[in-house]
């Protein structure tokens, strides 16, 4: 009897010890403890919102399962070299997952590791970002990379430009030549606009230093300007607005942040929501051992016609009722 009682007590003690140590999901009944590194290319409203949505949702999901997650966010200040340094630090420390917010951030993470799962967000086109030929919206990478895309339908943006400015003749395409995703958008939307009868001309700046001068050239030769989802343009909207608004030239923008700074209208997404979707993918990888290489890149679920009320009024443009005003 004493031997049986001693054995039972020892078994109970071992069970308590295993529970106290945490262990795996099966041992503890929790999601576990994870470390996630975030590389954000630069600070501006769209990227900030995507990062915040990712943080909030991932913490919510992990904590709901009784687990914990430490999320370390580093901003590269728009420099690709900084993205590489941050990525290497995360790789050296052995984080469980890297979230790369912006194309240069994704490229830095991908070049640094084939083992740590990587999720991108605010990426316009993964084929362009990762150098994958023949990429389609239904493709998977087959590697340690997946994520979400912020690409709004370019045919919808072309239709918006045509809806608001049907009598325009010359469309200036203003973008940063150093951003491959901007190049992709320009190459995609140009034939769509040309089919509508517009004459399209490219006005490419190399960095923030020549934005104003290139914007001035575009405004002098265009009836309307299109700016794609472009990180450099997003960080220079005040400089662009100081040119195009006095010149009386409206801008159709690829995303809400650019539109709120220098545009008139956009077909835009909710970047906070995009970050949340990225977090849901991260949860599947961290907790349920999903393979990012088998996960299809997820688009934003909703697109909204939005307009900049102040710029529309300044330019004397009447916006249709089905557009939503961008909050001040």
């Amino acid at each position: 009897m004493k031997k049986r009682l001693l054995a039972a007590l020892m078994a109970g003690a071992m069970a308590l010890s295993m529970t106290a140590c945490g262990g795996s999901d099966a041992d503890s009944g929790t999601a576990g403890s994870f470390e996630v590194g975030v590389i954000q290319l630069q600070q501006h409203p769209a990227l900030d919102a995507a990062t915040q949505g990712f943080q909030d949702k991932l913490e919510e999901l992990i904590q709901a399962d009784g687990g914990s997650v430490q999320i370390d966010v580093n901003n590269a200040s728009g420099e690709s070299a900084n993205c590489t340094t941050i990525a290497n630090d995360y790789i050296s420390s052995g984080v469980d997952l890297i979230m790369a917010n912006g194309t240069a951030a994704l490229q830095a993470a991908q070049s640094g590791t084939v083992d740590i799962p990587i999720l991108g967000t605010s990426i316009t086109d993964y084929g362009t970002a990762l150098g994958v030929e023949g990429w389609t919206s239904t493709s998977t990478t087959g590697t340690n990379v997946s994520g979400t895309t912020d690409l709004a339908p370019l045919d919808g943006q072309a239709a918006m430009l045509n809806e608001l400015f049907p009598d325009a003749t010359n469309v200036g395409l203003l973008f940063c030549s150093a951003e491959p995703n901007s190049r992709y958008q320009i190459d995609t939307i140009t034939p769509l606009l040309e089919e509508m009868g517009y004459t399209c001309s490219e006005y490419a700046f190399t960095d923030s230093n020549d934005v104003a001068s290139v914007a001035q050239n575009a405004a002098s030769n265009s009836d309307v300007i299109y700016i794609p989802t472009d990180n450099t343009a997003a960080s220079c909207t005040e400089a662009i607005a100081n040119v195009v608004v006095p010149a009386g030239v409206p801008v159709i923008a690829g995303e809400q942040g650019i539109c709120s700074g220098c545009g008139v209208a956009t077909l835009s997404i909710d970047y906070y929501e995009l970050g949340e979707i990225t977090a849901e993918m991260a949860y599947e990888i961290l907790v349920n051992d999903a393979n990012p290489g088998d996960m299809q890149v997820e688009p934003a679920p909703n697109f909204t016609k939005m307009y900049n009320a102040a710029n529309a009024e300044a330019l004397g443009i009447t916006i249709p009722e089905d557009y939503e005003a961008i909050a001040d």
Side-chain angles (χ1 to χ4, degrees), residues 52-64:
Q52 193 63 57
F54 177 81
Q55 288 180 275
D56 292 347
K57 190 65 175 181
L58 186 57
E59 289 174 353
E60 173 193 326
L61 292 171
I62 297 292
Q63 291 171 7

Side-chain angles (χ1 to χ4, degrees), residues 67-320:
S68 64
V69 59
Q70 178 181 330
I71 302 174
D72 184 32
V73 179
N74 276 282
N75 193 302
S77 301
E79 298 292 335
S80 296
N82 291 342
C83 289
T84 300
T85 299
I86 296 167
N88 289 339
D89 286 345
Y90 287 149
I91 293 164
S92 297
S93 64
V95 296
D96 297 297
L97 182 141
I98 296 173
M99 196 280 270
N101 190 350
T103 298
L106 179 65
Q107 291 170 333
Q110 182 217 21
S111 65
T113 179
V114 297
D115 299 316
I116 298 174
I118 299 168
L119 290 176
T121 195
S122 311
I123 310 298
T124 303
D125 178 65
Y126 280 76
T128 302
L130 302 178
V132 180
E133 293 185 6
W135 180 268
T136 69
S137 60
T138 59
S139 295
T140 56
T141 67
T143 67
N144 60 322
V145 179
S146 190
T148 55
T149 174
D150 64 353
L151 181 62
L154 291 169
D155 56 350
Q157 293 182 6
M160 171 180 282
L161 188 150
N162 184 246
E163 175 186 31
L164 295 177
F165 308 106
D167 298 326
T169 300
N170 298 306
V171 176
L173 307 171
L174 182 65
F175 66 103
C176 179
S177 60
E179 298 191 29
N181 282 335
S182 296
R183 176 80 265 172
Y184 168 81
Q185 292 171 83
I186 294 301
D187 289 345
T188 302
I189 202 169
T190 296
L192 299 175
L193 292 170
E194 289 176 342
E195 288 177 5
M196 296 174 176
Y198 295 106
T199 298
C200 297
S201 301
E202 294 184 4
Y203 298 91
F205 47 87
T206 57
D207 55 36
S208 59
N209 294 319
D210 61 343
V211 167
S213 61
V214 175
Q216 184 64 64
N217 190 22
S220 298
N221 294 284
S222 308
D223 301 312
V224 58
I225 290 173
Y226 172 75
I227 303 177
T229 301
D230 185 291
N231 290 315
T232 307
S235 66
C236 298
T237 56
E238 183 177 358
I240 297 172
N242 288 340
V243 171
V244 299
V245 175
V249 179
V251 169
I252 297 296
E255 54 95 2
Q256 181 180 335
I258 296 174
C259 187
S260 64
C262 63
V264 167
T266 181
L267 183 61
S268 190
I269 68 169
D270 184 331
Y271 277 84
Y272 184 90
E273 185 178 42
L274 194 70
E276 290 183 308
I277 297 170
T278 314
E280 291 169 355
M281 298 176 72
Y283 175 84
E284 291 300 319
I285 293 169
L286 294 171
V287 177
N288 296 324
D289 295 324
N291 179 9
D294 296 332
M295 302 174 77
Q296 185 173 321
V297 169
E298 295 290 340
N302 303 302
F303 300 93
T304 305
K305 288 182 175 181
M306 307 190 78
Y307 73 100
N308 182 321
N311 285 352
E313 181 178 0
L315 297 173
I317 298 169
T318 301
I319 302 296

Side-chain angles (χ1 to χ4, degrees), residues 38-42 47-48 50-51 99-103 105 121-123:
V38 175
I39 312 169
Q40 182 172 317
L41 175 59
Q42 64 188 50
L47 300 188
D48 293 346
T51 292
M99 196 280 270
N101 190 350
T103 298
T121 195
S122 311
I123 310 298

